Amino acid sequence: EEKMIKAGIIGATGYAGGELVRILANHREVEIVWYGSRSYIDKKYCEVYQNMFRIVEDVCKDDNLAELAEQVDVIFTATPQGFLAGVLTEEILSKVKIVDLSADYRIKDVKVYEKWYGTTHKSPQFIQEAVYGLCEVNRNRITEATRLVANPGCYTTCSILTAYPLVKEGLIDVDTLIVDAKSGTSGAGRGAKVPNLFCEVNENIKAYGVASHRHTPEIEEQLGYAGNCEVVINFTPHLVPMNRGILVTEYAKLKRKADGSLPSWEEIRAAYDRYYKEEKFVRVLEKGVCPETKWVEGSNYVDINFVIDERTGRIIMMGALDNLVKGAAGQAVQNMNLLFGLKESEGLELVPCFP
């Protein structure tokens, strides 16, 4: 019989790490053997997350990547920016596959990374090798030969997938693209910070990282590859008082046809269908139905739709996903499935939960 894939998680007690544990608990091919957490070493995992009582019996271990690499087939690093880049070596990568949920290897231009993240990259030699793990776009590059996957950001996954077919097909003028996004507070992580306290967040909505959010260059770079052009966008995220979910609303001018008319609804829909009809986790909704975060919560789905505004010549594209699943842990498991030649949806057949 097939032997189980052994997995280690560093950052297992953060929100994305906890979601990895939840998803992998129901994965037929994987067992977690290392729950790494700098904050809770030697504490039982189920004491940190009581939902795992009698499901996970293990205690938390440290974040020693070199030691972990000797014991597992795949490592998930659900860690702050800079952690993996600071400890990754060729020796480690020669032994184990890594799916990194941080931004350390997402951006191919190290100067762009260093500018937006305000830090020096400690291991730029691995950037070119890392595959950007947006499965619906890069699936054929995420193979068993891959050693390092840069798992995309949550805003980024939603923003890219929502516009990707239209950028790829040249149906919109990318210079006019504006991405307005809203996220639940789990996106800010589990660290104790005053701006994330209940009283600060509840009954409130605010924009943050305006004209400076770190996911901007990631969206620009990936849509630039799609359109084979330079992409410069406005991206504005907002914090919304809910636990999970991202909704993006994107605006762009449609490219007019030779006769001056706009592309029809049918033409735009056909472009989406060309890329997403066979995609299990991208649901392009029926005409007139707008995506809502509650219809994807707890699942690996992205719901997408669009409206053409004839009056202004613009298209309004919308996308919704669960920032902890398709925006983080679910996508990481999707990548792992591709890395090991498993069925891509294994462990991810999660029906959105409502209410």
Side-chain angles (χ1 to χ4, degrees):
E1 81 176 38
E2 297 260 308
K3 74 173 184 45
M4 297 285 270
I5 294 163
K6 288 187 162 56
I9 302 169
I10 294 186
T13 54
Y15 289 147
E19 202 68 346
L20 274 168
V21 174
R22 179 178 79 93
I23 292 167
L24 291 175
N26 290 315
H27 195 297
R28 286 199 286 266
E29 312 283 343
V30 178
E31 60 173 331
I32 305 171
V33 299
W34 185 295
Y35 296 80
S37 173
R38 192 180 283 174
S39 313
Y40 295 102
I41 297 169
D42 293 335
K43 194 176 172 91
K44 284 184 75 168
Y45 188 81
C46 67
E47 287 175 14
V48 181
Y49 284 130
Q50 187 77 26
N51 57 328
M52 291 298 162
F53 182 63
R54 284 176 46 182
I55 298 169
V56 176
E57 300 292 336
D58 301 57
V59 298
C60 296
K61 298 183 176 140
D62 64 17
D63 55 10
N64 186 333
L65 199 71
E67 188 188 338
L68 174 53
E70 302 285 348
Q71 302 180 29
V72 295
D73 306 299
V74 62
I75 298 172
F76 295 96
T77 46
T79 45
Q81 318 311 338
F83 170 83
L84 185 60
V87 296
L88 191 58
T89 63
E90 178 59 39
E91 191 186 0
I92 289 169
L93 266 186
S94 68
K95 293 176 181 159
V96 71
K97 295 181 189 290
I98 297 180
V99 180
D100 179 28
L101 281 74
S102 86
D104 287 2
Y105 301 100
R106 291 177 192 157
I107 295 170
K108 291 296 174 199
D109 185 335
V110 71
K111 287 197 287 297
V112 171
Y113 172 86
E114 292 184 338
K115 181 181 139 207
W116 285 80
Y117 283 84
T119 181
T120 305
H121 202 294
K122 300 283 199 306
S123 53
Q125 68 270 27
F126 300 120
I127 293 176
Q128 288 314 312
E129 169 183 354
V131 178
Y132 189 75
L134 192 54
C135 305
E136 286 74 18
V137 172
N138 277 343
R139 178 175 292 117
N140 58 354
R141 291 181 50 222
I142 309 161
T143 64
E144 295 180 48
T146 306
R147 306 191 298 177
L148 178 60
V149 171
N151 208 56
C154 47
Y155 278 126
T156 326
T157 297
C158 205
S159 302
I160 294 168
L161 290 175
T162 298
Y164 179 78
L166 306 192
V167 175
K168 187 96 173 150
E169 298 281 317
L171 288 161
I172 57 175
D173 176 357
V174 288
D175 288 337
T176 65
L177 181 63
I178 292 174
V179 179
D180 181 278
K182 323 274 190 300
S183 173
T185 47
S186 62
R190 197 169 187 235
K193 303 189 231 2
V194 169
N196 302 344
L197 292 170
F198 179 83
C199 292
E200 316 278 327
V201 170
N202 187 44
E203 290 292 331
N204 189 34
I205 178 172
K206 66 177 179 186
Y208 65 98
V210 181
S212 66
H213 193 278
R214 295 162 159 188
H215 284 181
T216 309
E218 200 181 318
I219 299 166
E220 291 176 342
E221 186 173 85
Q222 294 299 323
L223 288 179
Y225 294 143
N228 201 18
C229 58
E230 194 183 349
V231 174
V232 179
I233 64 165
N234 275 121
F235 168 71
T236 311
H238 301 74
L239 192 65
V240 180
M242 59 187 188
N243 293 339
R244 308 175 171 241
I246 284 179
L247 182 74
V248 299
T249 314
E250 310 191 9
Y251 307 87
K253 274 218 176 305
L254 282 164
K255 284 193 182 158
R256 292 188 180 269
K257 296 193 278 202
D259 64 2
S261 67
L262 293 172
S264 67
W265 183 89
E266 288 74 17
E267 288 170 289
I268 298 289
R269 176 66 199 226
Y272 276 101
D273 285 343
R274 266 198 293 286
Y275 292 91
Y276 296 151
K277 206 168 186 59
E278 304 301 317
E279 288 296 341
K280 177 171 179 64
F281 294 121
V282 180
R283 306 193 295 190
V284 183
L285 303 179
E286 300 292 325
K287 188 173 187 176
V289 180
C290 293
E292 299 180 34
T293 56
K294 69 178 166 191
W295 301 130
V296 293
E297 188 166 324
S299 81
N300 203 50
Y301 291 107
V302 187
D303 284 1
I304 293 175
N305 214 344
F306 65 92
V307 172
I308 296 170
D309 185 354
E310 301 275 350
R311 202 174 59 87
T312 59
R314 291 195 190 97
I315 186 164
I316 298 129
M317 300 155 274
M318 295 155 284
L321 54 66
D322 184 321
N323 57 295
L324 294 179
V325 188
K326 182 58 173 163
Q331 182 142 266
V333 172
Q334 203 179 338
N335 276 306
M336 180 205 70
N337 288 339
L338 289 171
L339 290 178
F340 289 89
L342 305 173
K343 180 178 158 198
E344 192 175 325
S345 61
E346 174 56 44
L348 295 169
E349 310 267 350
L350 305 159
V351 179
C353 59
F354 176 83

